[in-house]
Amino acid sequence: MKNIWIMLLLVCGVCAFTACNDDEKTKEPELSDLVTDIKMPEKFMLVGADMEITGKGFEPSVAKLFLEDGEKKRTEVKDAEFTTTGVYFKTPETAGTYSVILSQDEREMVLGEIRVVEPVANVVMPLASVKLGEKVTVKATGLRTTAKIVLEDVENNPVDVEATITSSEVTFNAPSKAGYYTVILSEDGNDDVLGYFSVITKRVSKITQVMKALPMEGDEEEPYSETYSFAFQYADGLMKSIDFFTYEEGTCSFDYSEENKITVLSGGEEYATYTLKNGLVVKHSYDEEDYLWGYDAKGYLTSAGGFSFEIEDATGNLVDVAAAFQFEYGEDENGYSNVNPLGYLLYPLGIYQGNDMLMPYFLDKCGKHASKLPVKFSSDAYGIVGEEFIYTWDNEHKFITGVKFVLGEQEYTVTFEYED
């Protein structure tokens, strides 16, 4: 009996020793042993974007990649492409936070975590210029509540603003300084330009343009003259109608019922439509023709209806239009109103021939503009070198009330009136 117990003890000892050896043979290495020197993206990724994770130790012949969402649902990334130093794949089409899991040699390792977001889209900027301190609302899809809002002025200086962000709307108060501003959604070094808007102190109520032929020596008759005018009416800050007297005469009204579209009506019928993107007119349709408007990365107008615009990078000044007119600038700055005076002057200068081209300027939807005023213009087409713009000002020398210049054989006087 004693021998039997000894034999049983020996058998148990051998079994225990064998079991220990088996455990040592099947023990997996630490997770960090699979891949080292891992580099994950430092910021969030957009849905469906190309993504790269690098490291040392990938084995392309046996490696597989999985994504695990917040509910622990795991999906294999079928299109993952491996090299010995990394893996390349597209992010999921569904926004969320995912663990990235590497499977290799029947072992697994969590490489890291990625945050996938929807792109910002369907941005709707304010339809009109806003006064100092007024509430500004920007609507969009894909807004990130973890981001912050940054404003930049025309010189690209950041402007502090306290904003409330939801997934579909941003609200903040306009700065206390008039000017043109860029609205930026910023997070993790990624900036999304939502759009552009202007902060003004006055609204233009009327523009009158008088063209008078210069008297010729020996003429006894009164020189020919012609008067154009635009009178503006507003409601809740929006331009509601314009009484115009030009080569056409009448009243036009504005329909803002469709997002990112402004329709101008004349006599109850559609006169022109203006398509907006990021708060800027990008296309207008008139007389069954479409005209495109283009902008640079800073929001300055570079083309409109086939005309090109050259902007001086350092100042934002418009220095050339359609290779036909060149402008020189002084130090005087005009206060910000809802109509850029130089934009209007393109009308009597003959760059723009129709009222339809003026509407984006009246609506203040044709991009940033510098505050300085041109003091001279030149034109090879007219044989003009350094013709002066002569301005008149309000009592505080903040807003121009008029500008006079000579073009060819005509003298032009343009006056600006403002709301109280």
Side-chain angles (χ1 to χ4, degrees), residues 209-213 223-228 245-247 411-412:
Q209 169 188 315
V210 178
M211 183 278 288
K212 183 167 63 174
Y224 171 78
S225 66
E226 190 173 62
T227 300
Y228 287 178
F245 183 83
T246 61
Y247 61 92
E411 179 186 71
Y412 288 85

Side-chain angles (χ1 to χ4, degrees), residues 39-178:
K39 291 184 179 179
M40 298 284 294
E42 295 181 355
K43 60 183 182 180
F44 60 83
M45 302 291 294
L46 295 179
V47 295
D50 292 327
M51 183 171 176
E52 175 186 12
I53 300 174
T54 60
K56 296 178 181 178
F58 288 99
E59 298 181 15
S61 61
V62 294
K64 292 182 179 180
L65 197 71
F66 296 87
L67 296 181
E68 189 173 273
D69 63 19
E71 298 180 352
K72 301 299 181 182
K73 181 181 177 182
R74 184 178 293 194
T75 304
E76 183 178 357
V77 182
K78 296 289 187 180
D79 63 350
E81 297 180 6
F82 289 91
T83 68
T84 57
T85 58
V87 58
Y88 307 85
F89 62 99
K90 286 189 177 294
T91 59
E93 295 294 337
T94 303
T97 300
Y98 296 85
S99 294
V100 184
I101 302 169
L102 172 68
S103 175
Q104 196 165 274
D105 282 338
E106 298 183 356
R107 292 169 291 172
E108 289 187 349
M109 176 182 182
V110 177
L111 299 178
E113 193 173 78
I114 59 171
R115 179 179 166 217
V116 180
V117 301
E118 295 283 351
V120 176
N122 305 312
V123 178
V124 180
M125 295 295 295
L127 288 169
S129 311
V130 299
K131 291 288 188 73
L132 304 177
E134 283 185 348
K135 181 181 178 181
V136 178
T137 300
V138 179
K139 297 180 180 179
T141 58
L143 294 174
R144 302 181 296 277
T145 57
T146 51
K148 66 177 181 178
I149 292 294
V150 176
L151 301 185
E152 285 186 354
D153 63 17
V154 291
E155 297 176 346
N156 299 318
N157 296 316
V159 178
D160 291 334
V161 64
E162 293 185 6
T164 300
I165 306 175
T166 69
S167 60
S168 60
E169 188 175 273
V170 172
T171 56
F172 56 90
N173 290 330
S176 57
K177 181 181 178 181

Side-chain angles (χ1 to χ4, degrees), residues 238-307:
L238 289 174
M239 187 172 290
K240 299 302 291 184
S241 63
I242 302 176
D243 297 326
F244 58 91
F245 183 83
T246 61
Y247 61 92
E248 300 177 279
E249 183 178 357
T251 298
C252 65
S253 58
F254 297 83
D255 180 359
Y256 301 93
S257 59
E258 293 186 53
E259 286 189 348
N260 285 326
K261 182 179 180 181
I262 300 174
T263 302
V264 181
L265 304 171
S266 181
E269 297 184 357
E270 183 178 296
Y271 174 78
T273 60
Y274 299 84
T275 302
L276 305 179
K277 183 178 181 181
N278 303 112
L280 305 176
V281 170
V282 293
K283 183 182 77 171
H284 90 270
S285 302
Y286 169 73
D287 197 22
E288 299 184 352
E289 294 285 343
D290 290 338
Y291 303 88
L292 300 180
W293 296 62
Y295 304 85
D296 65 14
K298 295 180 180 179
Y300 288 99
L301 184 68
T302 56
S303 63
F307 299 105

